[in-house]
Amino acid sequence: MSVFRKLFGVFLAALLLGGALKVGGDLKAGPEIQGALKPQAVHREAAEEIVDRLDLHYSRLSFDDALSERVLEQYLKDLDPNRLYFTRKDIDDFQIYRDQLDDQLEDGELEAGYSIFNRFQTRLEERLTEILADIKAGFDDWQFDGDEQVLVDRSEAPWAADDEALDAIWRRQLKNAVLSMRLNGTEDSAIRERLTNRYESQLNRVRQNTAEDVFQTYMNALAQSFDPHTNYFTPHNSENFDISMSRSLEGIGAVLQYEDGYTKVVRLVPGGPAAKQGRLKPADRIVAVGQDDDDLVNVIGMRLDEVVDMIRGPKGSDVQLEVIPAGSASEHDTRTVTITRNKVVLEEQAAKKEVIEFDHDGDKVKLGIIEIPAFYMDFNAFHRGDPNYTSTTRDVAELLVELRKENVDGLVIDLRNNGGGSLLEVNKLVSLFINRGPTVQVREAGGRVSVENDQYPGMLYAGPLAVLVNRYSASASEIFAGAMQDYGRALIVGDQTYGKGTVQTLLDLNHGKLKMTNAKFYRVSGSSNQNLGIVPDVNMPSLIDKDEVGESSLPNALPWDEIQPADYERYQDLMPLLPTLRERHDQRIQNNPEFVYVEQLRDLVADANRRHELSLNADQRKAWQDQYDQKRLAIENALRKYRGEEPIDKMEDLRKLEEQRALDPEASEEPMNEDPYLRETGHILADMVGLLRDQRVASQDS
């Protein structure tokens, strides 16, 4: 199994692949490598160059014994995240490297990385061979009536003492797989076929590993020890990176990363096929890929670039993805998603507006809404000097002029699911809502702080403003929301944002590329966006699990910190209003069926995910599943009753309904005027306007 660590935010599921592999001669004499796979001279040279470049990383980590230990732990986690292959003896043998990796890497010596990987390769082949033999022997006589349990997450479990202990762990893993599929109605013959295909696919992939595979895995363990956005790309994958930065992408429109043996969905491109289809979600893990009506091919353990190559394809063709839904307690509780490939063009992510009207405390309120899916610009046209280049700010400015003509009482900027984009565009967008001043600060690795400023005097819109965000609002979105909050220019409403506050640069190497964090974003108040994100003034209920999604969920994420504030002036202090705004908001939503649905479903899923162990007793598992399904249906039917829809009797019917919605997502897309989050944001904004008016009246009377 080839293992690649979190190439975060790089691969869109439409990349064209290719690239040449440099081949060098033999290495100079060094520690003897145990095993068949050995590095080439070009790998040694690249390792030395990577070490030199990492000396300039923002975190300024020293190449010392502490870093050596960190890299070793990261490498072992990357290779065997669930502790299913190495035994305690293997781990003890590797301890000789705990204080040696820094010295070896500085000398371009790769003995530790290759020797550990070769041991892993051996253990993996042995285990997969044994598993396939167990499956072939059949499981008709397996008992599912005792008190046996299986650990859901083994990432923090003790390493197995020996092979006999590992045999017991794997027996429980296989029993859990069989029981999960039986409870889903899968016949034993189909279970045997699925498991056989899965493990044969992994075994075949393992036997294709090359020295280049080992080098990328080891270098990414080193890079990821600095922070999760620092990555090494082989020449082959660096070409994919270049293509992913282009403005037109063909495929499903999803950003993928490798994590713990799986291809994980990081985010969906707004306006892309996957986002429109609606069933693929961030944090879902892809376990198999199929073309049109062909059989699904298992991709667990497969290289990320290989998976991307399978997912991409011509416009109009279908791709089937078997995924483990985010938060699923079992890797065998999967669903199949079919997506029609299409061209993803950034212009399709253009900002759009709508006006909704609602009653607030007896008054009619007209609310303007501008949805911004991404901070886009046509860089090529911009550099050519084309005055009509595609621009987020230009589009929003035109929409603001149109909304002013409609005499809206307030404005909501909707940044939900906006993963960021152009720094130039977000700075210009801030300028539409402030007179003049700093927009964001950037601190470089050496400590120098630069301040980006609004170069355009005057405000295009000076009225009441709210910014709606969620956990998928990141990077440039956080810069805009943070500036609006610091200036007191807008209320921030929604969920705590992603927390991506770092800046990366792409460095060419003699063999591949290194993407390295070299700066950090800071708000004008001096607070970092990193890790913490933007904390809303008023929180909305959310289904997103912060432990699964967000910077704080990533290993070795750089911490939140502060620097000196920039020179700026607040327009108004909204802090004194927040307790009243929050209280009124809570009163409104506590009995609102739309928000009650979100909170109850979130709590139900959270309770299920808190289970550390699963029973291998069939009756107990079925009883738990039946109880869960009943609660899930009750939550769903309460909302359906509120909406005037017929109740659903069985979970099978609910799943079929979700499938139908996925086949025609645009038909079920909720209009802005029916979006409960937008309507509630409007109520919050109307409350703010009333409180500010009361403040002014009280000030005049005094």
Side-chain angles (χ1 to χ4, degrees), residues 175-359:
K175 288 186 70 173
N176 180 52
V178 171
L179 180 56
S180 294
M181 287 188 272
R182 278 181 175 176
L183 291 175
N184 285 337
T186 308
E187 298 292 333
D188 280 4
S189 58
I191 293 173
R192 185 177 294 106
E193 182 180 358
R194 285 179 60 181
L195 291 176
T196 299
N197 289 341
R198 168 176 289 197
Y199 293 118
E200 281 183 346
S201 175
Q202 284 184 248
L203 184 58
N204 291 335
R205 184 63 196 87
V206 167
R207 290 168 174 164
Q208 296 172 25
N209 278 327
T210 66
E212 185 85 333
D213 295 332
V214 183
F215 183 70
Q216 176 159 292
T217 305
Y218 189 33
M219 288 303 99
N220 267 302
L222 170 62
Q224 296 279 287
S225 297
F226 282 75
D227 88 305
H229 304 293
T230 295
N231 310 110
Y232 168 71
F233 306 103
T234 63
H236 181 66
N237 287 330
S238 61
E239 181 175 327
N240 292 330
F241 184 91
D242 292 339
I243 297 170
S244 75
M245 294 298 100
S246 67
R247 301 185 67 256
S248 179
L249 309 163
E250 195 163 295
I252 65 170
V255 179
L256 308 175
Q257 71 185 39
Y258 186 97
E259 181 178 290
D260 299 342
Y262 293 98
T263 298
K264 183 177 178 180
V265 179
V266 177
R267 66 179 176 87
L268 305 179
V269 179
K276 289 181 178 179
Q277 194 260 11
R279 292 199 68 214
L280 192 67
K281 302 292 184 183
D284 285 354
R285 291 172 290 170
I286 299 171
V287 297
V289 178
Q291 311 300 327
D292 294 310
D293 295 326
D294 293 345
D295 292 338
L296 293 165
V297 177
N298 184 280
V299 297
I300 297 175
M302 190 177 288
R303 285 204 318 255
L304 184 59
D305 60 320
E306 292 179 316
V307 179
V308 168
D309 211 15
M310 294 173 66
I311 294 175
R312 73 172 178 85
K315 175 181 177 181
S317 62
D318 288 340
V319 61
Q320 296 182 70
L321 306 178
E322 183 183 357
V323 302
I324 304 170
S328 177
S330 171
E331 65 176 19
H332 302 286
D333 293 335
T334 64
R335 66 184 180 196
T336 301
V337 178
T338 301
I339 301 173
T340 300
R341 301 176 177 103
N342 206 337
K343 198 167 187 179
V344 184
V345 183
L346 296 192
E347 282 80 352
E348 294 178 1
Q349 304 173 24
K352 61 183 179 181
K353 73 168 176 67
E354 189 165 324
V355 176
I356 66 173
E357 295 186 8
F358 59 92
D359 290 324

Side-chain angles (χ1 to χ4, degrees), residues 142-148 175 178-180 182-183 614-626:
W142 289 7
Q143 300 299 311
F144 293 91
D145 56 0
D147 296 328
E148 201 171 21
K175 288 186 70 173
V178 171
L179 180 56
S180 294
R182 278 181 175 176
L183 291 175
L614 297 178
S615 171
L616 293 177
N617 182 298
D619 291 338
Q620 292 178 14
R621 278 280 283 277
K622 187 176 186 307
W624 183 92
Q625 188 64 55
D626 290 344

Side-chain angles (χ1 to χ4, degrees), residues 166 169 232:
L166 262 185
I169 291 169
Y232 168 71

Side-chain angles (χ1 to χ4, degrees), residues 372-631:
I372 306 176
F375 287 91
Y376 52 87
M377 71 175 294
D378 188 334
F379 287 98
N380 293 331
F382 173 76
H383 290 302
R384 288 198 309 268
D386 183 346
N388 296 315
Y389 68 90
T390 301
S391 159
T392 303
T393 307
R394 178 180 287 109
D395 291 346
V396 171
E398 292 176 357
L399 297 176
L400 287 173
V401 171
E402 294 173 10
L403 288 172
R404 282 197 311 192
K405 294 177 182 177
E406 298 192 51
N407 297 315
V408 295
D409 300 306
L411 175 67
V412 175
I413 301 294
D414 187 355
L415 297 180
R416 288 175 295 175
N417 306 318
N418 183 322
S422 166
L423 177 62
L424 176 62
E425 284 299 325
V426 70
N427 288 332
K428 290 167 61 181
L429 189 71
V430 170
S431 74
L432 301 182
F433 301 95
I434 65 173
N435 184 24
R436 176 166 281 179
T439 58
V440 67
Q441 302 185 86
V442 182
R443 184 184 185 274
E444 298 174 1
R448 187 175 75 89
V449 177
S450 59
V451 180
E452 299 288 337
N453 285 283
D454 167 20
Q455 302 295 326
Y456 308 96
M459 283 187 275
L460 189 57
Y461 177 80
L465 180 65
V467 180
L468 181 57
V469 295
N470 65 5
R471 190 63 168 174
Y472 302 129
S473 305
S475 195
S477 294
E478 296 174 296
I479 291 173
F480 180 81
M484 294 298 98
Q485 191 175 52
D486 287 342
Y487 275 100
R489 187 60 192 84
L491 276 175
I492 310 302
V493 179
D495 197 13
Q496 186 175 353
T497 60
Y498 192 93
K500 169 67 164 64
T502 55
V503 185
Q504 285 73 42
T505 186
L506 191 65
L507 306 172
D508 287 320
L509 305 171
N510 72 304
H511 187 73
K513 296 180 187 288
L514 180 69
K515 180 165 69 76
M516 186 174 75
T517 298
N518 66 330
K520 242 183 181 181
F521 288 125
Y522 291 83
R523 295 161 58 160
V524 296
S525 61
S527 174
S528 171
N529 293 341
Q530 171 61 19
N531 212 304
L532 179 65
I534 306 300
V535 179
D537 298 310
V538 182
N539 280 289
M540 293 273 207
S542 172
L543 288 173
I544 303 169
D545 185 352
K546 293 184 179 64
D547 292 334
E548 289 282 339
V549 177
E551 188 79 6
S552 60
S553 71
L554 301 177
N556 302 322
L558 297 185
W560 173 90
D561 62 347
E562 292 180 289
I563 60 174
Q564 288 296 315
D567 185 13
Y568 76 104
E569 293 184 10
R570 295 174 66 88
Y571 286 88
Q572 55 193 350
D573 186 5
L574 300 176
M575 290 292 290
L577 310 181
L578 297 186
T580 302
L581 291 174
R582 292 165 181 163
E583 181 181 359
R584 293 181 182 180
H585 162 69
D586 289 340
Q587 289 174 350
R588 270 192 303 270
I589 72 168
Q590 66 180 350
N591 295 316
N592 183 319
E594 300 282 359
F595 291 106
V596 170
Y597 171 83
V598 173
E599 291 181 328
Q600 290 182 343
L601 186 55
R602 177 196 61 204
D603 292 344
L604 179 67
V605 173
D607 285 343
N609 291 339
R610 274 193 288 268
R611 294 180 300 163
H612 297 295
E613 293 182 316
L614 297 178
S615 171
L616 293 177
N617 182 298
D619 291 338
Q620 292 178 14
R621 278 280 283 277
K622 187 176 186 307
W624 183 92
Q625 188 64 55
D626 290 344
Q627 184 181 44
Y628 179 90
D629 290 349
Q630 290 171 7
K631 291 179 179 178

